Amino acid sequence: MSALAQRVDLDEAYAKMLAAMQERGRVLVAYSGGVDSGLVARIAHDALGGEALAVIADAESLSRHELQEARAEAEEIGILLRVIRVSELANEAYASNPTNRCYFCRKELGRNLKPLAGELGYTTIADGVNVSDLGDYRPGIQAMNEEGFWHPLVEFGLGKADVRELSRRLGLSFHAKPSNACLSSRIAYGEVITVEKLERVDAAEEAIRALGFDVVRVRAHEGVARIEVRKEDLPRLVDPAMSEMVVQAVRDAGFVYVTVDLRGYRSGSMNEGL
């Protein structure tokens, strides 16, 4: 990373985060398997060893693929991992899928993690929010602030590019892993979220991924699948032989109509109409 691109001294930030973790004594990491919370988990483990714990919430909106990757990454880091079962859809405010759905998700996370932390003697709950997250529409961050979560990456000035570079320097194999979000983010705002809809999206994405597309989103609009892949992958996706397999796979997952977004993958594309 060039001096111009690097907004913080990563060696200094790493050292300061280690010290901050050590000052807290015992840290529970709200872990998702993404590069951001993965880096926080790695630093917590470096600082505290067995006094650090990663906890992932296995909710209806967590894809099986993501859960499997999260387990493997925690094993790579060496941190203790605990999987807790939660139900987001039990909360009608979440299931109704308003534009601030993520607020209710993170409030539910706090309601589950805070008693667990107290029971196990963890004084701090850290998360993977970074500086780059602060400029987007993120109602979940408001909820985490209300629940008292600590944002070490924000405190020490790391944006997304910094997170990836520090993760690379620390040897994390997943430093370049594409950003991901829960399966509920694939359902159009205002459309009620159900387990069946989430499973449909998960199955469709897994099938397209199996065809060789490493980054894929299947956005669901009342029975219509809107597929996003990297822009450079669009020509291969719309090739007649490939598109036939994709259509069949997505229809097998339960969608009636299959479309392709010609602008390609964009993180948070469901927010574009807000």
Side-chain angles (χ1 to χ4, degrees), residues 15 29-30 33 54 62-64 76 102 113 172 227 248 264 269-270:
V29 179
L62 180 64
S63 78
R64 300 305 89 187
E76 175 185 333
C102 293
L113 291 189
L172 295 178
I227 301 171
Q248 188 61 55
S269 70
M270 285 297 198

Side-chain angles (χ1 to χ4, degrees), residues 15-68:
K16 287 182 175 179
M17 279 189 282
L18 284 177
M21 296 278 187
Q22 290 163 350
E23 286 175 7
R24 284 163 170 79
R26 304 193 82 206
V27 173
L28 185 154
V29 179
Y31 175 71
S32 70
V35 64
D36 304 307
S37 65
L39 176 60
V40 174
R42 167 61 191 270
I43 295 171
H45 178 64
D46 287 353
L48 302 169
E51 297 303 303
L53 174 69
V55 179
I56 187 166
D58 184 10
E60 300 96 335
S61 65
L62 180 64
S63 78
R64 300 305 89 187
H65 173 78
E66 286 295 314
L67 179 58
Q68 182 180 1

Side-chain angles (χ1 to χ4, degrees), residues 153-215:
L153 301 176
V154 172
E155 182 173 328
F156 295 99
L158 275 70
K160 190 69 174 187
D162 303 312
V163 168
R164 293 197 184 280
E165 174 60 14
L166 181 53
S167 298
R168 186 193 67 78
R169 292 186 188 183
L170 293 174
L172 295 178
S173 66
F174 52 93
H175 65 89
K177 181 179 182 179
S179 297
N180 204 359
C182 74
L183 292 173
S184 293
S185 70
R186 312 324 196 238
I187 311 295
Y189 289 125
E191 181 179 342
V192 174
I193 301 170
T194 66
V195 171
E196 292 75 20
K197 290 176 183 178
L198 296 175
E199 289 177 344
R200 185 186 305 160
V201 168
D202 195 15
E205 290 189 349
E206 190 62 32
I208 298 173
R209 197 177 293 114
L211 292 172
F213 297 90
D214 62 332
V215 175

Side-chain angles (χ1 to χ4, degrees), residues 67-266:
L67 179 58
Q68 182 180 1
E69 286 196 345
R71 289 182 184 274
E73 290 158 11
E75 185 174 350
E76 175 185 333
I77 292 166
I79 193 169
L80 295 171
L81 175 66
R82 183 159 178 168
V83 180
I84 60 170
R85 183 66 187 171
V86 303
S87 177
E88 296 162 337
L89 298 187
N91 183 344
E92 290 185 7
Y94 176 95
S96 65
N97 201 13
T99 56
N100 65 338
R101 178 195 64 241
C102 293
Y103 175 86
F104 302 106
C105 166
R106 292 299 183 258
K107 290 296 281 189
E108 185 69 24
L109 185 64
R111 279 194 290 269
N112 282 272
L113 291 189
K114 288 166 69 177
L116 179 65
E119 175 189 337
L120 299 178
Y122 288 90
T123 57
T124 300
I125 300 174
D127 61 40
V129 175
N130 68 72
V131 171
S132 301
D133 294 328
L134 304 181
D136 196 4
Y137 176 64
R138 299 291 178 96
I141 295 178
Q142 177 189 342
M144 289 188 283
N145 289 339
E146 291 173 0
E147 294 299 309
F149 285 23
W150 176 40
H151 316 314
L153 301 176
V154 172
E155 182 173 328
F156 295 99
L158 275 70
K160 190 69 174 187
D162 303 312
V163 168
R164 293 197 184 280
E165 174 60 14
L166 181 53
S167 298
R168 186 193 67 78
R169 292 186 188 183
L170 293 174
L172 295 178
S173 66
F174 52 93
H175 65 89
K177 181 179 182 179
S179 297
N180 204 359
C182 74
L183 292 173
S184 293
S185 70
R186 312 324 196 238
I187 311 295
Y189 289 125
E191 181 179 342
V192 174
I193 301 170
T194 66
V195 171
E196 292 75 20
K197 290 176 183 178
L198 296 175
E199 289 177 344
R200 185 186 305 160
V201 168
D202 195 15
E205 290 189 349
E206 190 62 32
I208 298 173
R209 197 177 293 114
L211 292 172
F213 297 90
D214 62 332
V215 175
V216 58
R217 298 289 186 276
V218 175
R219 312 289 189 185
H221 301 264
E222 296 288 358
V224 177
R226 174 170 59 88
I227 301 171
E228 296 178 9
V229 296
R230 297 182 195 270
K231 265 198 168 182
E232 56 267 31
D233 287 338
L234 282 171
R236 186 161 63 92
L237 182 71
V238 299
D239 174 81
M242 177 61 75
S243 65
E244 185 175 341
M245 289 189 287
V246 169
V247 168
Q248 188 61 55
V250 176
R251 284 179 61 84
D252 286 347
F255 286 94
V256 178
Y257 301 106
V258 183
T259 66
V260 174
D261 192 319
L262 297 180
R263 290 183 294 171
Y265 164 69
R266 286 104 56 216

